[in-house]
Amino acid sequence: MARKSYEEVYASSLSDRERFWSREAGNLCWDRTWDRVIDERESPHNMWFEGGMCNVCENAVDRHVEAGRGGETAIIYDSAMTGEKTRMSYEVLRRKVAKTAGMLRSMGVEKGDRVVIYMPMIVHTIIGMLACARIGAVHSVVFGGFVAKELASRIEDSGAKVVLTASCGFEPGRVIDYMEIVRDSVSLLEGRGGFVSHVVVFQREGYEVSLEGDAYKDWDEFYEVAEEVGCVPVEASHPLYILYTSGSTGLPKGIERASGGHMVALLWSMRYIYGCEAGDVFWAASDFGWIVGHSYIVYGPLLAGCTTVVYEGKPVRTPDAGSFFRVIEEYGVQVMFTAPTAYRAIRREDPDGKLKSLYDLGTLRAQFFAGERCDVGTLLWIREQLGVPVIDHWWQTETGWAITSDFLGLSTEREVKEGSAGLPVPGYEIMILDEASEEVPNGELGDVCIKLPLPPSFMTGLWGSRDRFEEVYMRSHPGFYTTGDAGYKDEDGCIFIMARTDDVINVAGHRLSTSAIEESLISYPSIVEAAAVGMNDELKGQIPVAFVVRGKEGAGVDDESLVRDVIKYIREEMGAVTALHKVMVVGQLPKTRSGKILRGTLQKMLNGESYTISPTIEDERAIEMIAAMIDSEGLSS
Ligand code: COA
Ligand code: AMP
């Protein structure tokens, strides 16, 4: 079928939003048709398909069974950690989700109740998410790499009374004891007056744990006696989930996603961005705990009736740098999605693609990237290895889907340049603004902003605080959502995303807040001041480096021991993914006379970039000393 023109589709998405999105919504089933396509009365908290009633699980699962596609494969599971490989049809998925929803009901979970899901890369995680959606419960999936403190804060903020978990997760060379982490979080919460009524544990074969305590239940035992339940129609504005992400303060932000607009946008994206239709095999090599996992391991492919691949493993070391290619060949993957860091890891271990050449990648149509900027060197290498379009596209947890991309399902005469994250996705009006909120000329760097109204699927708010949405995202440029990314637009309208304008850093595709790292550093007894910044890294994109000032406490401890203990402490406090690379003990931090730490200067020094010393600096010697340390440690990248 001839592809539609990008230019025409994009223009119509802005000139007649109502017609554009209602046409797409018509491809899904609704229990009640919407009264208005977009309700902007409380902008930016836009309500798409206001008045409509729907159920995302019904659209992602039951709809395909009812259309006679129940026998087709919904999920392929491949664990490089255990060797398990399974397939599940839409019909079986429907039954399991319906029964799991019944299991949640038997614990008193109803529409609007929150359920935290802290689980590894197994099929039961998808089943748990869909079971929540089926009865209108709001799930909050927490990434398995987070430690007890982080898990507890998410349970507390979401107000969840039920936690779904598993006996363990696997990382290369070690087993992650989920039960210990969950028990510690539950105790932490109890200490703060919190209360979790049920912790449901999926026992992984060979790694069963004993379940002591009234709250702890065996998933299978509960499931066996549960009854199947049907889909509960919910308002289009009803939250499907809360997903916590790092923000410009140490406090995690609970991004709230409304059901109706999200499913419509994801369905559109599957066809026009990823070029997929029902029956295609789609693989997002990410984690359920991140937005990519939510949108493109679970909801997007299933809404489109595709087969989604769930992979438990790494791109390298499980067992080697050929594992991605094995999965592509074994399951006939057509479209793949991951973070560039994964391919940088493969390239480092197999620069000539010897392992890749052992596999037939004939089914693959395209490789998509997001999570961090894909540097041109990596992009060209992957293109040469795979021989298919390699598409970098840009998005955020807040948006739930791409803001800019190239489009497998649309045609354009324009060339999407290497190093760019593509053209604006229909529905998004993107402008690059200066400090005075004026649009900058093409080619000039500025704040990348999205003009209101925000498209469907966009976050509708931050959980628990209505005003914080405006405070965090809308203040800098009235009438615009500020993405927190800096970039520029070229003469063809391609968007280049270059850096963050806040304290967020991207470590191996994981979004981390340096403020949160600083808060943890300062909570260490003998540290009185800390600054954390991102240093460029060939493999992970960025890695955190900290500068700390010690206080009187622990005066007998030498710097070397302090650094070792602090790195260990941060790992325990924040989880291994934080991967604090280096800590430098300094006499003082460089600050302005008003006390603002010159983090930008520190970052430039670490990255070997030229920097100017602020005229308002309190004491220039702080910079000189740090420059000498960076030099002597050979750190500057
Ligand atoms: N549970 C517990 N620990 C986890 C974890 C999880 N779900 N995920 C990662 N970790 C741990 C790792 O085991 C590692 O621990 P270690 O320091 O003891 O080795 C630490 O966190 C850092 O992990 P990571 O940042 O993933 O680095 P790595 O060196 O283990 O692997 C890559 C590097 C590039 C192979 C890996 O980061 C990768 O596959 N990235 C893909 C990125 C991705 O999926 N991003 C999601 C957005 S699309
Ligand atoms: P997350 O919410 O974890 O998906 O992280 C979103 C942030 O990751 C964005 O604001 C960007 O800083 C960065 N990011 C994601 N995709 C890209 C991309 N393709 N190019 C550049 N940066 C990206």
Side-chain angles (χ1 to χ4, degrees):
M1 203 169 63
R3 292 188 298 166
K4 293 184 187 172
S5 135
Y6 162 77
E7 281 71 19
E8 281 171 25
V9 169
Y10 181 71
S12 67
S13 78
L14 299 186
S15 64
D16 194 351
R17 288 172 205 274
E18 310 229 334
R19 191 150 151 261
F20 186 91
W21 291 113
S22 61
R23 200 184 300 153
E24 188 62 20
N27 294 323
L28 292 161
C29 61
W30 295 80
D31 297 280
R32 182 182 184 280
T33 309
W34 50 93
D35 299 322
R36 300 179 203 214
V37 179
I38 176 170
D39 179 356
E40 288 184 66
R41 281 174 299 183
E42 293 188 46
S43 177
H45 308 262
N46 292 338
M47 288 307 159
W48 283 88
F49 306 103
E50 192 265 327
M53 301 288 288
C54 59
N55 185 285
V56 177
C57 175
E58 181 176 9
N59 276 289
V61 185
D62 301 51
R63 187 168 60 94
H64 305 304
V65 178
E66 278 148 28
R69 301 187 54 251
E72 292 183 22
T73 305
I75 303 172
I76 290 174
Y77 179 65
D78 185 298
S79 172
M81 311 306 292
T82 64
E84 187 185 341
K85 295 176 184 185
T86 50
R87 282 172 190 265
M88 188 179 288
S89 69
Y90 271 98
E91 171 52 37
V92 173
L93 178 63
R94 193 206 61 78
R95 208 171 56 240
K96 287 189 183 279
V97 169
K99 251 185 116 166
T100 307
M103 170 177 100
L104 290 171
R105 272 267 176 80
S106 69
M107 290 169 216
V109 177
E110 293 293 344
K111 180 184 166 199
D113 291 341
R114 277 81 60 210
V115 174
V116 160
I117 301 182
Y118 182 67
M119 296 184 66
M121 294 302 292
I122 56 176
V123 175
H124 279 74
T125 312
I126 300 196
I127 292 175
M129 291 165 80
L130 290 166
C132 289
R134 194 170 189 86
I135 54 173
V138 182
H139 62 68
S140 183
V141 180
V142 178
F143 174 57
F146 284 132
V147 291
K149 197 176 122 221
E150 302 283 345
L151 175 60
S153 75
R154 285 155 175 78
I155 299 174
E156 189 171 37
D157 190 75
S158 65
K161 299 278 176 276
V162 171
V163 176
L164 302 182
T165 190
S167 51
C168 69
F170 299 112
E171 280 293 298
R174 67 198 167 105
V175 176
I176 310 291
D177 187 345
Y178 275 37
M179 285 314 297
E180 190 188 338
I181 298 167
V182 172
R183 281 188 192 281
D184 286 352
S185 328
V186 170
S187 320
L188 274 172
L189 284 172
E190 279 166 359
R192 304 205 284 256
F195 167 73
V196 171
S197 63
H198 295 84
V199 177
V200 188
V201 185
F202 178 76
Q203 303 273 18
R204 297 195 73 174
E205 209 182 317
Y207 292 87
E208 291 82 0
V209 288
S210 65
L211 302 175
E212 284 143 27
D214 288 347
Y216 293 82
K217 314 282 177 202
D218 183 283
W219 185 306
D220 280 345
E221 279 175 25
F222 242 59
Y223 174 87
E224 279 314 316
V225 295
E227 287 184 4
E228 288 187 22
V229 298
C231 298
V232 174
V234 298
E235 298 75 19
S237 57
H238 183 72
L240 174 64
Y241 63 77
I242 308 165
L243 179 58
Y244 288 88
T245 188
S246 308
S248 46
T249 68
L251 287 178
K253 298 183 292 194
I255 304 295
E256 209 180 304
R257 182 97 52 227
S259 307
H262 187 46
M263 62 177 190
V264 174
L266 288 186
L267 186 68
W268 188 94
S269 73
M270 286 304 296
R271 174 159 352 143
Y272 294 106
I273 296 182
Y274 304 104
C276 286
E277 33 186 72
D280 283 348
V281 181
F282 188 91
W283 179 25
S286 178
D287 192 285
F288 293 125
W290 307 123
I291 184 59
V292 175
H294 280 60
S295 292
Y296 292 108
I297 302 179
V298 186
Y299 291 111
L302 296 180
L303 282 163
C306 296
T307 299
T308 184
V309 178
V310 178
Y311 172 71
E312 183 181 46
K314 301 274 174 182
V316 292
R317 296 181 288 151
T318 58
D320 57 32
S323 24
F324 271 19
F325 309 117
R326 171 187 68 77
V327 172
I328 294 171
E329 180 193 88
E330 201 162 332
Y331 306 115
V333 171
Q334 280 146 326
V335 175
M336 188 185 170
F337 183 161
T338 192
T341 187
Y343 270 97
R344 287 200 295 266
I346 294 173
R347 185 183 184 187
R348 193 167 71 167
E349 300 214 351
D350 186 22
D352 302 321
K354 291 200 178 83
L355 286 165
K356 187 228 77 177
S357 60
L358 301 177
Y359 300 94
D360 176 0
L361 309 184
T363 55
L364 194 67
R365 296 202 293 257
Q367 171 69 57
F368 281 83
F369 283 120
E372 52 176 324
R373 183 164 186 268
C374 186
D375 57 282
V376 176
T378 304
L379 186 126
L380 295 177
W381 182 81
I382 298 161
R383 191 189 287 162
E384 188 192 314
Q385 294 297 319
L386 301 179
V388 295
V390 176
I391 298 174
D392 184 12
H393 62 336
W394 166 59
W395 49 306
Q396 304 186 318
T397 306
E398 287 84 344
T399 67
W401 64 309
I403 313 165
T404 61
S405 188
D406 199 352
F407 302 85
L408 280 195
L410 297 173
S411 66
T412 175
E413 300 283 293
R414 280 189 262 185
E415 182 206 346
V416 173
K417 322 274 187 335
E418 286 137 12
S420 130
L423 298 162
V425 167
Y428 289 93
E429 200 170 345
I430 301 172
M431 290 194 186
I432 317 288
L433 304 180
D434 64 15
E435 276 180 7
S437 302
E438 296 292 333
E439 207 172 356
V440 301
N442 286 343
E444 261 182 42
L445 206 65
D447 290 347
V448 189
C449 297
I450 301 168
K451 192 163 179 248
L452 302 184
L454 300 170
S457 174
F458 219 98
M459 66 187 285
T460 44
L462 287 170
W463 184 258
S465 165
R466 206 173 160 74
D467 299 340
R468 213 170 139 214
F469 184 19
E470 282 96 318
E471 267 165 40
V472 177
Y473 301 100
M474 305 290 165
R475 287 274 150 88
S476 316
H477 301 289
F480 292 86
Y481 166 92
T482 304
T483 62
D485 285 308
Y488 66 92
K489 199 188 271 190
D490 74 3
E491 64 289 354
D492 289 328
C494 289
I495 308 285
F496 290 72
I497 302 298
M498 305 311 290
R500 288 290 300 190
T501 56
D502 56 11
D503 68 351
V504 167
I505 57 171
N506 246 294
V507 180
H510 311 308
R511 174 168 160 180
L512 304 177
S513 154
T514 51
S515 301
I517 300 175
E518 287 174 7
E519 265 172 43
S520 289
L521 285 165
I522 292 165
S523 71
Y524 190 80
S526 50
I527 292 180
V528 289
E529 275 192 299
V533 293
M535 182 169 102
N536 295 344
D537 181 73
E538 251 182 41
L539 174 67
K540 297 192 176 188
Q542 282 183 300
I543 42 172
V545 171
F547 298 86
V548 299
V549 178
R550 55 191 301 173
K552 290 206 176 70
E553 214 171 315
V557 179
D558 60 88
D559 284 359
E560 207 176 305
S561 312
L562 175 74
V563 165
R564 205 179 43 239
D565 293 349
V566 166
I567 289 178
K568 187 164 164 271
Y569 174 75
I570 294 297
R571 189 179 164 95
E572 284 161 5
E573 281 284 294
M574 304 194 69
V577 280
T578 300
L580 183 58
H581 174 72
K582 179 91 192 152
V583 176
M584 281 190 256
V585 183
V586 297
Q588 58 173 328
L589 293 173
K591 287 186 197 162
T592 59
R593 281 193 282 275
S594 60
K596 196 167 175 286
I597 299 172
L598 295 165
R599 294 184 179 82
T601 312
L602 287 173
Q603 181 151 340
K604 284 191 175 137
M605 291 167 80
L606 278 174
N607 291 330
E609 293 167 23
S610 62
Y611 58 91
T612 47
I613 299 178
S614 163
T616 63
I617 193 162
E618 189 184 43
D619 184 349
E620 225 171 281
R621 280 172 305 175
I623 289 277
E624 286 161 10
M625 276 163 55
I626 289 174
M629 282 174 92
I630 291 177
D631 229 30
S632 73
E633 301 230 11
L635 259 188
S636 166
S637 57

